[in-house]
Amino acid sequence: MGTFKFANVLMETNPRSLAFPTLYYRTNQPLSQDMGTGEWTLQDAGECDFTTYFNALSVRKLLRYTTATAFHLHLELKGAACTVTQTKAYPLSSGPVLNDGVSTKTAGTGEWENVDLVLDVDEDMVLTAFRLKSSGPVSIRNGYYSLNVSEEPRPIELALATTTFKKEPFITKNIALVKQNILNSKEDIAQHFHMHVVDNGSTLDAAALSDDYVKVYPNENVGGAGGFARGMIAAMEQKVSATNVLLMDDDVEVSPESIIRTYNLLRILKPEYQEAFISGAMLSYEEIQDQWEDTGFIDPNVGNCRPAKPIFRVTDLESVINDEVFELPKDIAQRAKQYAAWWYCCIPMSMIKKNGLPLPFFVRYDDVEYGIRSNPKFITMIGLGIWHSNFHIRYNAAVERYQTTRNGMIAQCTTNIAPNLNVMVRQMTKDMYLELKKFNYADASLLLDGFEDFLKGPRYIAQPIAQQRFMDANKNKEKTVSFDELMDQVKALGITDFNPYKLSRQEIDSDLPRDIVSRLFDYTTCNFQRTIFRHQGDGYAVIPNIGWAYPAGKIHNERIIIVVDWYNKKGSVRVKDISKYDTVIKRYKKDMVYYKRHVEHLQKEYAAARKELTSLEFWKNYLNLK
């Protein structure tokens, strides 16, 4: 077979790449772009190394997943004489290894010169790339990697499905990027790509944004699950049905090259990987160089979602290498069930037809349940992914307490995502007591709202109630106010020495040590709200506005807790209220009695309903498409 173009050498000019150029290259001379021609120029004699997250070629994974048999580099250079040398990276490499045996020199004639290298690859390598060493200014254009493949690339029709709700700046920017860099490009993908935008807020100008390849669908607010179901249906029913659907969040930044590489990867997968899910990484929108997750798993001990990998700082080559070779420890991998989140997840249409559409969850656990239900192989690779806001910045109790509780338990009943349902009920109980220890009676009640809606059975979520229940959860969650209002509320309680504007992150996030006696009292009395030791306490503590935070030493035996959201400059005040504590506990005990009496029936009922709730017929009726 001939050569197959796989990935462009990626060089961008945007705030992200200007702030963190080592995502793309490392150089000891300024590198700039001519905006008219698109050419890049190394300004003087120096070196530029491309063994980076976006420009190294993941040869180990390409040999594993695809029909690739050999690897090539193509560049076009003009200017001073320079040397282009292959670089290699191995599992324990701390930096690029130069391969002087694969190197070439340009004459420096001042005319464009082609550079073509056949890259030397061995079975131990993780990455390969190249280093350019110039004797003076040199311009670069049209760089790309190509592969020899053992089989003819298969035809692919890729559909991008994204769901949006009043996030116009993000989605219109991503539509423009797709049109400019994919649909108007000379890449093969340009003729085999559609973008389906499901507008749950009905705020976009659908007529102005839509064309033959981009379609905007005004839609009822059916959440991410409903929006992605609508996108899957649109991809299924487009003029030439999609072979693969790429699901992507709306509030993200994407490099179009990631989509191009995903398409190219799909074309050359080995038969045993053609039904794999390609899972793109979540890079931090705020800390651009940090990768937070590319796949996740359900912790078998507590039933919670966990990233499969640690956080990697991908401007560092050692982290990039570790990212590519990292695997779940065997003891976890044997027990845990993996999934790919839908901020960037490419699913074969054959798997959608085989496994159905999402459950009508609105938001949260739709991707988890679907990934575990489908039980695919997963493919991850450097250079594939998006930038997404960190979870602690986006914390919303309506999602984390109501949606997660309800949907996680439903997913357990339909798909057995955790060892058993009691694991998830125990975690819900633990979370409830965590909120009560912090005097957050509103969000403790949200957990019970989710639990009680789960107890209503599958006929309840089959109704179009998802949006209203999410709105109710947002209405009922703890409210935060501006720093100015927060100070007024605190002063009304007689506290005069609190000023959030003078706080440091350390003061907000830190904790105090506890001795064994304090630990015992906290455990037995829920921070002095039960048993004969219950009392109002005195003093106040300042803690962060994150539900899973537990600064136990700080809040021990306090009366008032001031919660600070430093990122959004908001906060709330909680005052210990033993009567509210009693109300929550009484409700919880009543719910648990009902749960124990009906749990076996509920599990059977949800399991039996899954096929209907994920069917095309159900979703077309739910979305009013008939």
Side-chain angles (χ1 to χ4, degrees):
M1 297 293 174
T3 59
F4 174 85
K5 182 181 175 184
F6 177 72
N8 294 294
V9 174
L10 183 60
M11 301 169 77
E12 297 183 316
T13 301
N14 52 44
R16 180 179 62 241
S17 59
L18 292 173
F20 295 94
T22 49
L23 285 167
Y24 304 88
Y25 55 82
R26 292 179 179 83
T27 181
N28 58 9
Q29 288 292 338
L31 195 63
S32 61
Q33 184 185 30
D34 183 322
M35 301 306 292
T37 63
E39 299 160 9
W40 287 78
T41 300
L42 190 67
Q43 296 297 321
D44 209 337
E47 294 185 354
C48 193
D49 191 291
F50 291 84
T51 321
T52 61
Y53 183 82
F54 278 109
N55 280 321
L57 194 63
S58 186
V59 289
R60 174 175 288 196
K61 288 189 172 179
L62 287 168
L63 288 171
R64 177 181 177 183
Y65 297 130
T66 77
T67 60
T69 57
F71 305 89
H72 307 264
L73 170 71
H74 173 82
L75 295 172
E76 294 173 15
L77 304 175
K78 181 174 72 173
C82 61
T83 302
V84 180
T85 304
Q86 180 189 7
T87 59
K88 300 180 177 183
Y90 293 87
L92 296 181
S93 294
S94 59
V97 178
L98 283 173
N99 182 13
D100 293 328
V102 179
S103 184
T104 190
K105 296 182 179 179
T106 63
T109 63
E111 301 296 326
W112 286 105
E113 300 178 62
N114 289 338
V115 171
D116 291 284
L117 295 179
V118 179
L119 302 172
D120 177 29
V121 173
D122 62 71
E123 63 181 11
D124 296 322
M125 286 176 59
V126 179
L127 310 171
T128 190
F130 64 98
R131 181 178 296 174
L132 187 153
K133 184 175 182 179
S134 174
S135 61
V138 63
S139 296
I140 310 165
R141 72 179 185 187
N142 198 26
Y144 59 85
Y145 294 103
S146 59
L147 321 173
N148 285 9
V149 290
S150 60
E151 298 179 14
E152 188 70 27
R154 63 191 183 118
I156 292 292
E157 294 291 332
L158 180 60
L160 170 61
T162 185
T163 302
T164 186
F165 181 76
K166 298 181 180 179
K167 300 252 178 47
E168 293 86 351
F170 280 100
I171 198 67
T172 54
K173 181 179 179 180
N174 286 334
I175 290 172
L177 285 172
V178 162
K179 287 183 176 182
Q180 178 180 345
N181 295 287
I182 295 179
L183 294 172
N184 293 332
S185 73
K186 296 180 181 179
E187 303 286 343
D188 187 77
I189 189 177
Q191 303 303 314
H192 303 281
F193 182 83
H194 288 78
M195 183 176 187
H196 302 287
V197 180
V198 181
D199 181 14
N200 281 345
S202 298
T203 55
L204 296 173
D205 187 340
L209 292 170
S210 298
D211 57 28
D212 290 342
Y213 292 93
V214 175
K215 298 290 185 186
V216 177
Y217 306 88
N219 206 50
E220 294 292 325
N221 186 17
V222 287
F228 284 127
R230 178 72 179 89
M232 289 176 177
I233 294 169
M236 190 183 300
E237 296 182 346
Q238 64 189 42
K239 187 173 182 180
V240 178
S241 180
T243 59
N244 300 77
V245 184
L246 175 57
L247 306 179
M248 191 173 79
D249 272 350
D250 59 340
D251 54 346
V252 302
E253 284 199 4
V254 62
S255 173
E257 176 66 18
S258 289
I259 299 174
I260 294 170
R261 293 179 187 181
T262 299
Y263 169 82
N264 290 336
L265 181 61
L266 290 168
R267 296 196 68 202
I268 57 173
L269 289 174
K270 291 176 180 176
E272 61 265 38
Y273 290 104
Q274 289 175 4
E275 287 197 326
F277 286 15
I278 299 176
S279 180
M282 174 189 159
L283 299 163
S284 169
Y285 186 80
E286 292 77 22
E287 300 293 337
I288 290 166
Q289 75 277 29
D290 288 349
Q291 176 183 298
W292 281 65
E293 184 178 322
D294 60 11
T295 55
F297 69 97
I298 296 295
D299 186 328
N301 298 313
V302 295
N304 280 354
C305 301
R306 297 281 186 264
K309 297 178 179 180
I311 295 173
F312 286 121
R313 179 146 290 183
V314 293
T315 48
D316 174 67
L317 181 59
E318 289 182 68
S319 286
V320 174
I321 295 168
N322 288 333
D323 186 10
E324 285 299 89
V325 302
F326 188 91
E327 296 184 1
L328 274 176
K330 287 184 179 180
D331 64 321
I332 295 178
Q334 289 170 355
R335 296 183 298 140
K337 297 180 180 179
Q338 282 191 267
Y339 61 88
W342 286 355
W343 51 65
Y344 190 105
C345 180
C346 190
I347 302 175
M349 184 61 75
S350 60
M351 292 291 272
I352 296 172
K353 291 180 177 179
K354 187 185 305 182
N355 297 300
L357 296 162
L359 284 166
F361 279 166
F362 198 78
V363 294
R364 195 48 61 94
Y365 269 90
D366 47 350
D367 47 3
V368 176
E369 186 275 339
Y370 195 88
I372 293 173
R373 185 206 316 169
S374 301
N375 192 29
K377 296 175 181 177
F378 293 101
I379 295 174
T380 66
M381 189 175 290
I382 60 169
L384 305 182
I386 48 82
W387 283 268
H388 197 298
S389 287
N390 296 348
F391 291 129
H392 71 275
I393 290 172
R394 303 168 66 241
Y395 182 82
N396 180 353
V399 174
E400 303 298 342
R401 293 315 190 202
Y402 172 78
Q403 294 287 151
T404 294
T405 300
R406 186 196 71 181
N407 296 347
M409 292 180 183
I410 294 172
Q412 173 59 28
C413 293
T414 61
T415 309
N416 294 317
I417 65 174
N420 56 66
L421 185 58
N422 287 334
V423 167
M424 307 194 88
V425 174
R426 284 196 298 270
Q427 185 60 38
M428 183 270 293
T429 302
K430 181 180 177 181
D431 291 338
M432 181 193 72
Y433 277 113
L434 172 60
E435 297 291 13
L436 290 174
K437 287 176 184 177
K438 297 186 294 183
F439 315 151
N440 190 353
Y441 309 108
D443 291 353
S445 297
L446 274 187
L447 283 153
L448 297 181
D449 288 345
F451 187 39
E452 289 164 6
D453 281 357
F454 158 73
L455 296 175
K456 293 173 183 175
R459 290 303 101 201
Y460 185 67
I461 67 162
Q463 304 172 69
I465 49 84
Q467 179 184 5
Q468 184 58 51
R469 293 303 291 140
F470 187 55
M471 290 171 63
D472 291 343
N474 275 292
K475 180 181 177 181
N476 295 332
K477 70 182 181 182
E478 180 181 54
K479 300 298 184 293
T480 57
V481 297
S482 70
F483 275 0
D484 289 343
E485 292 177 82
L486 183 64
M487 283 196 291
D488 290 339
Q489 291 181 7
V490 171
K491 286 178 182 177
L493 293 169
I495 299 172
T496 59
D497 61 345
F498 172 76
N499 186 339
Y501 295 106
K502 293 185 177 181
L503 290 172
S504 67
R505 287 283 306 280
Q506 180 183 5
E507 291 173 287
I508 298 168
D509 295 339
S510 62
D511 196 6
L512 296 173
R514 288 183 299 166
D515 58 26
I516 189 65
V517 175
S518 296
R519 290 174 181 271
L520 181 61
F521 268 102
D522 286 340
Y523 177 75
T524 57
T525 70
C526 197
N527 204 359
F528 299 93
Q529 296 177 96
R530 65 184 178 196
T531 76
I532 60 173
F533 297 102
R534 60 165 62 186
H535 66 273
Q536 284 301 115
D538 52 25
Y540 75 93
V542 177
I543 68 170
N545 183 42
I546 302 173
W548 45 82
Y550 181 39
K554 264 189 177 180
I555 67 174
H556 176 76
N557 201 23
E558 300 288 1
R559 184 176 74 92
I560 296 169
I561 295 176
I562 304 171
V563 182
V564 176
D565 177 355
W566 63 267
Y567 184 82
N568 294 299
K569 305 297 184 291
K570 290 186 175 183
S572 60
V573 183
R574 302 170 187 166
V575 180
K576 183 187 288 186
D577 188 328
I578 292 174
S579 66
K580 289 183 179 179
Y581 171 88
D582 289 341
T583 298
V584 172
I585 293 300
K586 181 179 180 181
R587 181 181 169 193
Y588 166 73
K589 290 179 177 179
K590 181 180 179 182
D591 289 345
M592 287 302 296
V593 169
Y594 185 92
Y595 167 75
K596 290 174 183 178
R597 288 177 178 170
H598 297 88
V599 59
E600 291 186 13
H601 174 72
L602 278 168
Q603 288 178 301
K604 291 177 182 177
E605 197 175 16
Y606 275 113
R610 190 188 78 180
K611 186 174 182 180
E612 176 194 346
L613 295 178
T614 61
S615 68
L616 184 62
E617 182 180 5
F618 168 82
W619 273 108
K620 283 198 168 185
N621 182 63
Y622 193 90
L623 297 168
N624 297 313
L625 297 179
K626 288 189 173 183

